[in-house]
Amino acid sequence: MSLRQWKNVVSRAAQDINNNHALSFAAALAYYCVISLFPALITLAALVSLLPIPNLFQNLITVIGRVVPGESMGLLNHVVADVIRPHSSGLLSFGVLGSLWTVSSGFCELIEALDVAYDVPETRSLIKTRLLAVWLAILVGGMLIISVICMTAGPHLLWMFADKLGIGGEFIFIWKYARWAIAGVLVVLSIEAIYFLAPNVKQCFWNTLPGALIAIVSWGLLSAGLGFYFTKYAHLNKTYGTLGGGIALLVWLYWTGFVVIVGGELNSEIIQERDGGTLPLKQPPPERVKPVPADSTQLAA
């Protein structure tokens, strides 16, 4: 696209962010994220305990701590300490379904937010939308978990199975660096999957790439900026006491949701600017039957 078209995209996206109440949707997403975060951590702890990799869950928490504000890590570590106790061995059988339902509620809200961002009505049924939210929770969560495992336990995992898989030392050396690229690709694909599947819009998968890249870069810069602000200036523990860590986590999730919505707004405007038309729906609205006039029989007679 030309520079003028990009200006049009940015201008209309900025207007839609205000008109579509993106900040209000971001607040709703932050609420659902807080509700679903800790059940998701419990389920993650139970699932990774099945893998023969020592200290894998602690390594995952360490990676999460690189993006989550430092004030919130005390709260997360406190929950993690309870999660990984020996008496939590039965979490897998009981917690997966409940956690999946809770997490999918957040994706239902994200589906609604992206429908508004793309300026399309939701014509899919509630059951279909809930099933889509469950699928998104599994797909996106799975790709993000695999990406984190690649960053934390990639080389160790290959060394454990090198003999059984017939992998040579050269491949392991390459994998030591390639795993970071794979992790980055999986993160981008997970965001693209949200933009491709969630809104009620027929679109090419690669049309979701610009918004995904912008959202990820903005999210990284935002996380670094919030971490610096919380550490140097906010002093949330002095203002909110023991709730300081929870407030920092809520603020971080709030702006994370906002960045995801902004990426959807940009994707929508890019598609409309390039194709020059309205966005086609995945499922057209049902045809409305026109009411028959009460005196139609008399007119016919």
Side-chain angles (χ1 to χ4, degrees):
M1 294 194 302
S2 65
L3 180 60
R4 180 183 60 82
Q5 289 177 309
W6 277 110
K7 289 181 179 179
N8 293 335
V9 166
V10 174
S11 176
R12 290 201 304 267
Q15 293 177 3
D16 282 347
I17 288 170
N18 179 56
N19 296 335
N20 294 337
H21 308 288
L23 291 174
S24 297
F25 277 109
L29 287 174
Y31 165 79
Y32 281 106
C33 286
V34 169
I35 295 298
S36 60
L37 176 61
F38 298 109
L41 284 176
I42 293 173
T43 303
L44 178 62
L47 291 174
V48 299
S49 65
L50 302 177
L51 300 176
I53 304 175
N55 301 320
L56 176 57
F57 186 68
Q58 289 291 358
N59 291 332
L60 295 177
I61 295 299
T62 301
V63 173
I64 294 174
R66 296 174 183 173
V67 294
V68 174
E71 286 77 2
S72 303
M73 284 309 299
L75 178 62
L76 292 179
N77 287 328
H78 177 72
V79 174
V80 168
D82 292 334
V83 167
I84 61 177
R85 286 179 181 176
H87 63 72
S88 62
S89 58
L91 288 173
L92 182 60
S93 59
F94 176 77
V96 171
L97 294 179
S99 299
L100 186 59
W101 180 266
T102 305
V103 174
S104 67
S105 297
F107 278 96
C108 283
E109 181 64 26
L110 182 57
I111 290 172
E112 181 180 356
L114 290 178
D115 280 339
V116 175
Y118 276 77
D119 297 318
V120 293
E122 182 54 77
T123 57
R124 296 166 291 189
S125 65
L126 292 177
I127 296 177
K128 191 172 184 178
T129 303
R130 173 62 72 167
L131 291 177
L132 174 60
V134 172
W135 169 236
L136 281 172
I138 296 173
L139 179 64
V140 175
M143 284 194 289
L144 291 178
I145 291 172
I146 293 174
S147 67
V148 175
I149 291 177
C150 287
M151 289 186 287
T152 58
H156 305 288
L157 190 61
L158 279 185
W159 276 116
M160 294 176 61
F161 299 100
D163 294 335
K164 296 180 180 180
L165 298 176
I167 298 175
E170 296 81 3
F171 181 81
I172 295 178
F173 176 78
I174 296 174
W175 171 255
K176 183 178 179 180
Y177 301 97
R179 63 193 177 98
W180 295 100
I182 294 175
V185 169
L186 286 174
V187 172
V188 174
L189 288 178
S190 65
I191 305 300
E192 284 197 72
I194 292 175
Y195 291 145
F196 179 69
L197 297 174
N200 187 25
V201 174
K202 287 183 179 179
Q203 56 181 323
C204 174
F205 181 76
W206 295 113
N207 285 342
T208 62
L209 181 60
L213 292 176
I214 291 171
I216 291 172
V217 173
S218 301
W219 175 76
L221 296 174
L222 182 66
S223 297
L226 284 176
F228 178 79
Y229 171 74
F230 289 147
T231 303
K232 298 295 183 181
Y233 300 104
H235 305 297
L236 295 177
N237 290 331
K238 295 181 180 179
T239 305
Y240 296 98
T242 56
L243 294 177
I247 297 297
L249 178 63
L250 187 62
V251 171
W252 178 72
L253 291 172
Y254 171 77
W255 288 109
T256 297
F258 177 73
V259 166
V260 173
I261 295 173
V262 169
E265 293 280 4
L266 288 171
N267 278 338
S268 172
E269 297 301 335
I270 289 172
I271 295 173
Q272 294 182 70
E273 180 69 26
R274 185 177 54 209
D275 298 341
T278 58
L279 300 174
L281 301 180
K282 289 180 179 177
Q283 180 173 323
E287 296 182 0
R288 295 183 177 180
V289 179
K290 296 183 179 180
V292 179
D295 57 347
S296 59
T297 55
Q298 297 178 0
L299 292 175

